[in-house]
């Protein structure tokens, strides 16, 4: 994400450090806030009072990996951000939806200069915070009170930052270690072991996967052995053009003991199957799909216990009807009826105005699990934000083929 001019923002009883992507409420860190949602918040705060389009948010927040980033994905993270803010302050609406266009941060904001980042750790409170001047959007009647409050909050943060620094470092370190092991293991499996399966040894698996002697039977180790055996028997291997097209982390969660973790990724791969005479047997794209991982910490090392990679062939969901109703919080709620829905993997792609074939408006699985209700035959209360017009919707269970489309209209 590109750097922002102002590093510290105060609004309501929140303070947001855009440099470190840390949100505080009454001086305490808001641990529930997700990194991607905070990146979106940073963009909105940097343009407080002004309209910010979906495209502008995507260009900044997803600048490193714009593949699959759509207005629907932006809407999902804004929705999560609103939910986080509402958990601490349900009375105020901080973000306004500009239907079909984007968003605007509408609450009064006080900003401090870049040097505040240093002040947080040193205990120095900035002397002259300044207010974003947009009288058409903000009320300034309580500005002086907010300045005083900002000073007090920043002082509390300075103290809290010292006491929390060790905890935060340990937590971040574990999360980053888990993410590194998951990503490196998949790169190692596809781009090392399968490129030269004749060099495979059991010790290779000890690098990233939990051994059977340390727990229950490890499905991943067995799957990798079988794949290597099949490649060798058929005289095949993965070519140099095999690559990872997408690898995003949907969630990383640690247990209270910090010795177990669950991870969910969104992956897409391009595979070259090469025969022993050097010819391409087949070239294919696998995914995109979601993969769930369980990791354990053994002797200070994070290792993969199991995953859902390549475990099943997903059924193709069938859609039979869709109904659209207004959402009292803005936008629309969809209800879809059909069959063969997998609640843990299903997601929707929508095509129509501003939702193209190459960049459809997507309702991710985590949004469905967080916001909708699901069975194998129906999903209701699906949140969508679309401009008026006619649309088609399709569904996929992970990496399955898409369902036949249904047509619906937004009035």
């Amino acid at each position: 994400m590109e750097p922002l001019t102002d590093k510290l923002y105060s609004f309501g009883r929140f303070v947001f450090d855009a440099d470190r992507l840390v949100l505080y409420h009454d001086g305490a860190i808001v641990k529930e806030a997700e990194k991607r949602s905070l990146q979106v918040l940073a963009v909105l705060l940097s343009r407080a009072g002004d309209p910010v389009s979906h495209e502008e948010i995507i260009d900044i927040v997803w600048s490193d990996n714009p593949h699959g980033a759509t207005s629907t994905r932006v809407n999902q993270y804004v929705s999560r951000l609103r939910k986080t803010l509402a958990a601490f302050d349900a009375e105020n609406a901080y973000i306004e939806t500009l239907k079909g266009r984007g968003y605007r941060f509408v609450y009064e904001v006080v900003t401090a200069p870049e040097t505040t980042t240093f002040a947080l750790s040193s205990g120095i409170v900035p002397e002259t915070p300044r207010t974003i001047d947009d009288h058409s959007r903000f009320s300034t009647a309580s500005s002086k009170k907010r300045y005083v409050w900002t000073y007090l909050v920043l002082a509390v943060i300075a103290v809290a930052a010292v006491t929390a620094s060790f905890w935060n470092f340990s937590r971040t370190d574990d999360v980053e270690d888990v993410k590194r092991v998951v990503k490196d293991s998949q790169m190692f499996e596809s781009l090392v072991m399968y490129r030269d399966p004749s060099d495979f040894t059991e010790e290779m698996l000890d690098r990233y996967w939990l051994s059977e002697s340390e727990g229950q039977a490890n499905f991943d180790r067995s799957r990798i052995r079988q794949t290597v055996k099949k490649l060798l028997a058929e005289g095949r291997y993965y070519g140099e053009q095999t690559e990872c097209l997408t690898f995003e982390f949907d969630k990383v969660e640690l247990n209270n003991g910090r010795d177990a973790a669950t991870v969910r990724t969104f992956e897409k791969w391009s595979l070259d199957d090469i025969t022993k005479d050097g010819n391409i047997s087949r070239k294919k794209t696998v995914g995109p799909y979601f993969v769930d991982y369980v990791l354990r910490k053994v002797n200070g090392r994070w290792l993969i216990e199991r995953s859902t990679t390549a475990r099943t062939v997903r059924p193709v969901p069938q859609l039979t009807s869709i109904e659209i109703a207004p959402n009292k919080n803005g936008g629309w709620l969809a209800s879809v009826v059909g069959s063969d829905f997998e609640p843990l993997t299903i997601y929707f792609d929508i095509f129509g105005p501003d939702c193209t074939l190459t960049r459809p408006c997507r309702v991710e699985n985590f949004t469905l699990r967080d916001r909708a209700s699901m069975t194998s035959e129906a999903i209701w209360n699906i949140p969508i934000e679309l401009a008026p017009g006619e649309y088609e919707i399709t569904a996929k269970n992970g990496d399955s083929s898409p369902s036949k489309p249904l047509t619906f209209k937004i009035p």
Side-chain angles (χ1 to χ4, degrees), residues 355-369:
C355 304
T356 65
L357 289 175
T358 56
R359 295 184 69 176
C361 297
R362 177 163 294 175
V363 184
E364 301 283 10
N365 179 261
F366 59 75
T367 299
L368 296 175
R369 287 187 284 117

Side-chain angles (χ1 to χ4, degrees), residues 165-365:
S165 59
F166 292 105
W167 183 88
N168 279 325
F169 175 80
S170 173
R171 179 178 183 275
T172 302
D173 189 52
D174 268 330
V175 170
E176 293 305 314
D177 280 350
V178 167
K179 292 169 69 173
R180 176 186 55 78
V181 168
V182 170
K183 187 169 184 178
D184 287 357
S185 70
Q186 300 312 293
M187 301 299 172
F188 183 73
E189 179 182 343
S190 295
L191 307 184
V192 176
M193 288 190 290
Y194 296 162
R195 278 186 178 174
D196 197 351
S198 61
D199 285 344
F200 170 78
T201 64
E202 189 70 20
E203 288 72 24
M204 286 182 172
L205 298 178
D206 296 334
R207 184 177 299 187
Y208 299 112
W209 288 274
L210 196 70
S211 67
E212 284 87 350
S213 61
E214 294 166 336
Q216 299 178 351
N218 192 307
F219 170 84
D220 284 15
R221 292 178 78 113
S222 176
R223 173 181 55 79
I224 292 169
R225 292 189 199 103
Q226 292 172 6
T227 302
V228 169
K229 184 177 179 180
K230 184 175 181 180
L231 289 172
L232 291 174
E234 298 176 0
R236 296 186 296 112
Y237 62 93
Y238 284 6
E240 293 297 324
Q241 298 304 312
T242 292
E243 61 178 329
C244 180
L245 301 178
T246 302
F247 203 102
E248 298 180 4
F249 286 91
D250 178 36
K251 72 169 185 177
V252 179
E253 297 177 351
L254 276 66
N255 66 346
N256 291 333
R258 308 191 67 77
D259 58 1
T262 56
V263 177
R264 188 171 176 83
T265 62
F266 185 68
E267 303 176 22
K268 185 176 181 180
W269 299 79
S270 175
L271 306 180
D272 273 3
D273 241 339
I274 310 297
T275 60
K276 57 184 176 182
D277 58 6
N279 294 320
I280 295 180
S281 170
R282 59 178 174 167
K283 184 179 182 70
K284 65 177 181 178
T285 299
V286 181
Y289 52 71
F290 292 100
V291 183
D292 294 288
Y293 299 85
V294 176
L295 292 88
R296 302 285 179 186
K297 197 172 189 179
V298 180
N299 298 325
R301 292 178 60 214
W302 285 102
L303 298 170
I304 297 172
E305 180 181 284
R306 62 182 183 273
S307 75
T308 60
T309 301
R311 183 171 295 202
T312 60
V313 175
R314 304 293 181 195
V316 178
Q318 305 298 318
L319 308 183
T320 56
S321 66
I322 180 172
E323 294 182 359
I324 304 294
N327 185 350
K328 65 179 181 179
N329 296 321
W332 305 88
L333 293 175
S335 297
V336 178
V337 176
S339 60
D340 293 325
F341 296 169
E342 285 192 341
L344 289 178
T345 65
I346 193 168
Y347 64 94
F348 294 99
D349 280 334
I350 299 174
F351 308 91
D354 299 324
C355 304
T356 65
L357 289 175
T358 56
R359 295 184 69 176
C361 297
R362 177 163 294 175
V363 184
E364 301 283 10
N365 179 261

